[in-house]
Amino acid sequence: MAAAPAQVPRAAPWQWLLALCAGLAQAASLALPGSGQPVWWLQLASMAVLAWLLRRPMGWRRAAGLGWVFATAWLVGTFWWLYISMHTYGGLAAALAAAAVLALAAFLGSYYAVVSGLYKALAPKGRALDALFFGAVWLLAELARGQWWTGFPWGAGGYAHVEGPLAALARSVGVYGIGFAAAVLAMLLVQVRRSDLRNPRVWALALGVLALAGGAALQRHCAVEQCQTPTAPAAPALPLVLLQGNIPQDEKFQPGSGVPMALQWYGERLTSLEGALVVAPETAIPLLPQQLTPGYLDAIAQHYSQEGQATLLGIPLGSLEAGYTNSVLGFAPGQAVPYRYDKHHLVPFGEFVPPFFRWFTERMNIPLGDFSRGGLAQAPFAWHGERIAPNICYEDLFGEELGAHFARPESAPTVFVNLSNIGWFGNTLAIDQHLSISRMRALEFERPMVRATNTGATAIIDHRGVVTHQLERHARGMLKGAVHGRSGAVTPYAAWVSRFGLWPLWGLGLLVLAMAAVRRRRGSHIHTG
């Protein structure tokens, strides 16, 4: 007579509550409320709590549920400020706006529910293999969230590590690779037993991990400080003036208030400042060129025809017949035509309406439109010996797309410039989170990132990911500073992501998943045989 199958304990209410709290802690680790700073150890601790829960006796369905609660709480706690754009500025009913944020987080959280269930169903025996498998399936969930349905990887766990020991990995494996390493470490932490303190193998493994971390940190230090090989004298720094208009978001596109305010403030400064490079944020000029007073853009172009001065400014371009673009214009001496960059990665619901969602956008009072998409890896703005690559809004969230610039190292950017308007989300942690995103791109490519925004964070980030200059947020003003562009050898991450995109990481995750499935199947055959 066959033995009755063992009953799997049901998850207690405290387990669901613990998963929810751990998810909120993961959100806080990205930008701690009060300070806005990333907290790397809190991210590891929150992942360790989830790993500990998943290792308890339970079925794969219950594991999937706990993973979904963790992820949904984490994502709601990360981008809750979307509610402000929809309700405060978009006029959407409060209940509907809150439901929309929750629905988005729940949908994206389903990726993590799937991989939590997969972990419970297929995790191999052996602590190291178990931890590797957990990191691999978590990596797959992060990649899926970052690329499927246009991708929304805002709040990926790796962004908590722009500071801390794992930051050294950015130049080799990028933010997703850091997230993988953090998941593996979190699972290893919860597997430690008291008896391990007397196990030489455990100490050897710990020392090996520390040696690898130290080697990665030393490699990064020598790369960014150029301490191993003598170099030619550094090129002169590029002086900058970054404009932050702080135009109220609820007035920004109003013809009777925000539009004339923006045109006057930016117009006066763009035609009077003397700086090697002046940068005005996304849609600083909130009208199409044909809607402007005759001569407005001509006056800006004339000012920057003088020797030694150039500007990059955000402005919408196009027409009903040709289509519209969210763009950057660049003016510099000796141009036949102005430089132009058109935004490539558009925002769903803001710059294009996804199929079947027209009913939703029509409920909001936001100047939405179907914009045309610019090309990938557009030519940089060449100025003062630098190759300056603009990106608009949350385009710096997609490192693999910025990485396409490095397919030809001799023409790769020496400086990145982000032009943003985070005013849609109020004075919230969205500003701090976006700053960390830009810092991660600086770490990955070892190129400085300059940020000019409407309300903040307007800042200069050097090639080490360090914020060297920052303007007070939600204040009108100008940030003056300088940036040293970087050229020469590209980082390992830039080298492989420019050629293969994120496929190497997809391959790693799928390979580990396939090996675990085969191993489980063979073990099942041996047991039944």
Side-chain angles (χ1 to χ4, degrees), residues 250-288:
D250 54 354
E251 300 179 32
K252 181 173 173 63
F253 297 102
Q254 297 299 319
S257 54
V259 169
M261 186 189 307
L263 294 178
Q264 179 181 358
W265 193 81
Y266 284 113
E268 289 176 352
R269 277 136 195 88
L270 287 169
T271 54
S272 62
L273 287 171
E274 294 185 3
L277 181 64
V278 179
V279 186
E282 177 186 12
T283 59
I285 309 301
L287 298 178
L288 296 164

Side-chain angles (χ1 to χ4, degrees), residues 348-366:
F349 303 104
E351 292 167 327
F352 76 94
V353 181
F356 312 115
F357 280 92
R358 181 72 61 179
W359 65 272
F360 181 75
T361 59
E362 287 178 350
R363 291 175 177 266
M364 290 187 288
N365 184 28
I366 290 179

Side-chain angles (χ1 to χ4, degrees), residues 133 230 253 297 342 370 445 505:
F133 181 73
F253 297 102
L297 280 182
D342 297 330
D370 284 321
F445 300 112
L505 294 178

Side-chain angles (χ1 to χ4, degrees), residues 53-126:
L53 285 172
L54 294 180
R55 283 181 56 80
R56 296 180 63 81
M58 67 181 68
W60 67 266
R61 292 182 180 85
R62 193 66 61 179
L66 288 171
W68 180 80
V69 169
F70 172 90
T72 302
W74 155 34
L75 297 176
V76 167
T78 299
F79 52 67
W80 62 269
W81 34 260
L82 290 173
Y83 170 89
I84 295 175
S85 64
M86 290 185 285
H87 173 62
T88 304
Y89 297 122
L92 194 65
L96 191 54
V101 174
L102 181 60
L104 176 61
F107 171 72
L108 297 177
S110 66
Y111 300 151
Y112 303 91
V114 169
V115 299
S116 297
L118 281 173
Y119 166 77
K120 198 64 183 179
L122 300 176
K125 294 182 179 179

Side-chain angles (χ1 to χ4, degrees), residues 32-210:
L32 193 67
S35 71
Q37 295 301 305
V39 186
W40 63 269
W41 60 262
L42 183 58
Q43 194 275 332
L44 280 177
S46 64
M47 285 294 296
V49 171
L50 177 64
W52 179 78
L53 285 172
L54 294 180
R55 283 181 56 80
R56 296 180 63 81
M58 67 181 68
W60 67 266
R61 292 182 180 85
R62 193 66 61 179
L66 288 171
W68 180 80
V69 169
F70 172 90
T72 302
W74 155 34
L75 297 176
V76 167
T78 299
F79 52 67
W80 62 269
W81 34 260
L82 290 173
Y83 170 89
I84 295 175
S85 64
M86 290 185 285
H87 173 62
T88 304
Y89 297 122
L92 194 65
L96 191 54
V101 174
L102 181 60
L104 176 61
F107 171 72
L108 297 177
S110 66
Y111 300 151
Y112 303 91
V114 169
V115 299
S116 297
L118 281 173
Y119 166 77
K120 198 64 183 179
L122 300 176
K125 294 182 179 179
R127 287 188 282 178
L129 291 176
D130 179 82
L132 180 64
F133 181 73
F134 178 68
V137 295
W138 199 260
L139 171 64
L140 290 175
E142 292 274 63
L143 290 170
R145 180 163 74 94
Q147 292 191 288
W148 293 357
W149 310 104
T150 77
F152 190 54
W154 195 287
Y159 287 112
H161 297 273
V162 292
E163 299 173 3
L166 294 185
L169 298 177
R171 70 184 311 269
S172 299
V173 296
V175 68
Y176 293 117
I178 291 176
F180 165 76
V184 171
L185 284 175
M187 184 58 76
L188 287 173
L189 284 172
V190 301
Q191 293 174 348
V192 174
R193 306 169 189 148
R194 185 176 300 177
S195 60
D196 291 332
L197 298 178
R198 300 186 297 272
N199 189 335
R201 291 183 178 180
V202 173
W203 283 104
L205 176 62
L207 290 174
V209 171
L210 288 174

Side-chain angles (χ1 to χ4, degrees), residues 375-460:
L376 187 64
Q378 297 170 54
F381 180 60
W383 178 242
H384 259 227
E386 305 290 353
R387 296 184 294 272
I388 303 167
N391 56 85
I392 299 175
C393 187
Y394 81 154
E395 283 191 302
D396 62 341
L397 183 58
F398 302 91
E400 66 278 12
E401 295 181 359
L402 297 191
H405 285 284
F406 293 84
R408 298 178 58 194
E410 66 277 7
S411 61
T414 59
V415 179
F416 285 110
V417 175
N418 177 265
L419 297 87
S420 288
N421 175 28
I422 309 297
W424 289 109
F425 313 117
N427 191 8
T428 66
L429 291 173
I431 294 175
D432 303 283
Q433 293 166 356
H434 200 184
L435 183 62
S436 288
I437 288 167
S438 293
R439 292 178 65 190
M440 181 59 73
R441 299 292 86 82
L443 287 170
E444 289 173 343
F445 300 112
E446 290 174 359
R447 299 292 192 267
M449 175 76 80
V450 175
R451 293 175 47 82
T453 72
N454 180 35
T455 57
T458 296
I460 300 173

Side-chain angles (χ1 to χ4, degrees), residues 452-518:
T453 72
N454 180 35
T455 57
T458 296
I460 300 173
I461 304 166
D462 71 12
H463 64 285
R464 302 166 300 168
V466 176
V467 178
T468 61
H469 304 74
Q470 186 172 180
L471 196 62
E472 181 185 353
R473 302 172 189 191
H474 284 267
R476 187 169 296 170
M478 300 175 290
L479 179 63
K480 296 184 178 182
V483 65
H484 284 276
R486 297 274 294 186
S487 58
V490 302
T491 63
Y493 173 77
W496 64 258
V497 84
S498 63
R499 291 169 173 80
F500 309 113
L502 295 176
W503 282 111
L505 294 178
W506 277 104
L508 170 64
L510 292 171
L511 178 62
V512 173
L513 178 60
M515 290 174 63
V518 170

